[in-house]
Amino acid sequence: MRDRIYIAESGDTWDSISFKNYEDEFRIELLMNANKDLMHIFVFGGGEKVKIPELPEDVSSSLPDWRK
């Protein structure tokens, strides 16, 4: 399946984009690996196209019960 695209808003950071798309700010490694061309950005200016890969299938099994 193809990655979704998120258009960054001014002031977005990797962890805020992660939270907006995965409801988990700790998925930044997944985002950064999919967007190596954007790694130089710490705070997004707005308008950047960020690829949002799907979470691996086994992620839900590692979530605590309250997150499922």
Side-chain angles (χ1 to χ4, degrees), residues 2-59:
R2 293 179 49 149
D3 296 335
R4 292 182 299 115
I5 299 295
Y6 171 79
I7 306 300
E9 299 174 7
S10 179
D12 273 345
T13 58
W14 288 103
D15 57 339
S16 71
I17 294 170
S18 178
F19 187 79
K20 288 177 183 179
N21 288 278
Y22 299 125
E23 296 183 354
D24 183 350
E25 64 271 17
F26 299 109
R27 298 288 172 199
I28 61 174
E29 185 176 355
L30 183 64
L31 289 176
M32 290 177 164
N33 284 335
N35 295 280
K36 294 196 184 284
D37 57 323
L38 301 175
M39 289 293 298
H40 64 281
I41 300 173
F42 182 69
V43 178
F44 289 81
E48 297 90 351
K49 294 180 180 179
V50 182
K51 294 176 211 147
I52 308 295
E54 288 191 20
L55 290 174
E57 290 291 327
D58 63 341
V59 168

